[in-house]
Amino acid sequence: MSSTTPAAILFERYLAVLGVRARHPSLDALAELTAAHLARVPFENASKLLGRHDPSRRGVPDLARYLDGIEQCRFGGTCYANNFHLHRLLVHLGYAATLCGADMSAPNVHIVNVVSLDGRRYLADVGYGAPLVEPLAMDAADAREIAWGPFRYVFRPRGCDGRAGLEMYCDGTRGGGYVVNPAARRIEEFAGVIAESFDPRATFMNALFVARFGEPRPAMVRNLTLIQASGSTWRATSIVSPDDLPRVVAREFGMPGDLVRRALDGVRLTHSL
């Protein structure tokens, strides 16, 4: 891990962005990586919306551009960028990490990491916009519940057809989730799904979702709602107008307001999240 090849230099830069040092693969080290990722690299589709105006932004950015976005604009990405680049970092660090698809409204429209450690497998997902700060054991006997704000996430190690899955509830109502397909996949196999995610009718082309989980300012923006949570306390604030969104996102997440404004230009927030 001390190589000075261009790829190794980029991974050192990635670790610096996360604020962690390279460590021998272990559950503690993996948990440090996932927690740091969720605290420092937001789940967000503002950078994705810029692809409406700039075709070069469509698709998964290479690692250098991904890191540029984080460092210069406080961007991150959706699952295709966040989980794919985490996968590459994990492999670089010596983890037995598998990139897997997951079923949501359609098969394999989400990607996750499954990491094998000491004979056990763990789900590592930093690309769902959820506070999955710890790796989740896929052979656990019981479900695991995680609460954040008005949301409750239930991880079931043996859910649908014996496959592990995550359920999301908002104020007690089921609002989403996915089921993991454990077969190893290559990012190229998701090319069609990624291209469809930039279709003008796609969810993240008609909505705004930004989330960061970690101190000092854990927060989430879902269209015109700002949710701030700390421990067991939280509050939801309505954002009066879409015109106020760039200011709120800049204040809460540090993203340049002019870029957020450009990303939202012409977007009608018609898709609920």
Side-chain angles (χ1 to χ4, degrees):
M1 289 185 282
S2 61
S3 172
T4 57
T5 66
I9 292 170
L10 279 175
F11 287 123
E12 288 299 318
R13 181 180 163 198
Y14 197 168
L15 289 170
V17 162
L18 298 180
V20 301
R21 60 181 178 82
R23 297 168 57 190
H24 184 77
S26 69
L27 184 56
D28 283 346
L30 178 61
E32 181 184 37
L33 284 168
T34 54
H37 215 289
L38 287 164
R40 302 233 180 164
V41 184
F43 178 96
E44 55 82 20
N45 71 314
S47 59
K48 191 181 188 80
L49 285 167
L50 288 170
R52 298 170 67 251
H53 312 290
D54 182 357
S56 71
R57 289 183 174 272
R58 298 172 192 171
V60 178
D62 63 28
L63 183 54
R65 186 165 185 173
Y66 178 67
L67 296 174
D68 286 345
I70 299 169
E71 293 173 330
Q72 299 169 15
C73 304
R74 300 298 186 266
F75 285 154
T78 60
C79 70
Y80 306 120
N82 288 354
N83 276 332
F84 172 59
H85 287 306
L86 175 64
H87 171 75
R88 296 186 62 206
L89 177 62
L90 291 174
V91 171
H92 170 74
L93 292 173
Y95 287 89
T98 302
L99 190 69
C100 298
D103 300 344
M104 298 175 71
S105 58
N108 292 313
V109 292
H110 181 55
I111 64 173
V112 299
N113 285 287
V114 174
V115 182
S116 297
L117 275 170
D118 301 324
R120 304 187 70 183
R121 295 190 307 153
Y122 297 88
L123 175 71
D125 185 355
V126 298
Y128 188 64
L132 307 181
V133 296
E134 297 178 5
L136 298 167
M138 299 180 70
D139 61 352
D142 301 313
R144 170 81 178 274
E145 294 193 13
I146 301 165
W148 192 91
F151 304 103
R152 184 169 61 94
Y153 305 88
V154 182
F155 176 68
R156 300 191 187 279
R158 296 178 181 84
C160 181
D161 301 327
R163 293 177 293 161
L166 186 75
E167 301 167 2
M168 187 272 279
Y169 298 85
C170 182
D171 293 327
T173 301
R174 176 76 181 267
Y178 60 81
V179 179
V180 178
N181 294 315
R185 304 289 297 272
R186 295 176 297 108
I187 191 64
E188 291 79 9
E189 297 177 62
F190 297 94
V193 171
I194 293 170
E196 289 174 5
S197 74
F198 285 89
D199 186 280
R201 298 163 294 182
T203 297
F204 283 134
M205 292 292 101
N206 297 276
L208 181 69
F209 188 179
V210 187
R212 181 185 60 234
F213 305 98
E215 298 302 334
R217 295 173 67 91
M220 178 187 293
V221 167
R222 294 168 68 98
N223 286 338
L224 293 175
T225 301
L226 166 66
I227 302 168
Q228 297 162 300
S230 180
S232 60
T233 63
W234 62 276
R235 69 175 181 175
T237 305
S238 294
I239 300 168
V240 175
S241 164
D243 293 337
D244 292 329
L245 276 172
R247 175 182 57 80
V248 173
V249 172
R251 183 190 71 213
E252 296 296 327
F253 299 95
M255 295 180 188
D258 59 334
L259 280 182
V260 178
R261 189 171 293 106
R262 187 189 313 167
L264 290 170
D265 182 32
V267 174
R268 297 180 61 192
L269 303 178
T270 55
H271 284 228
S272 61
L273 292 167

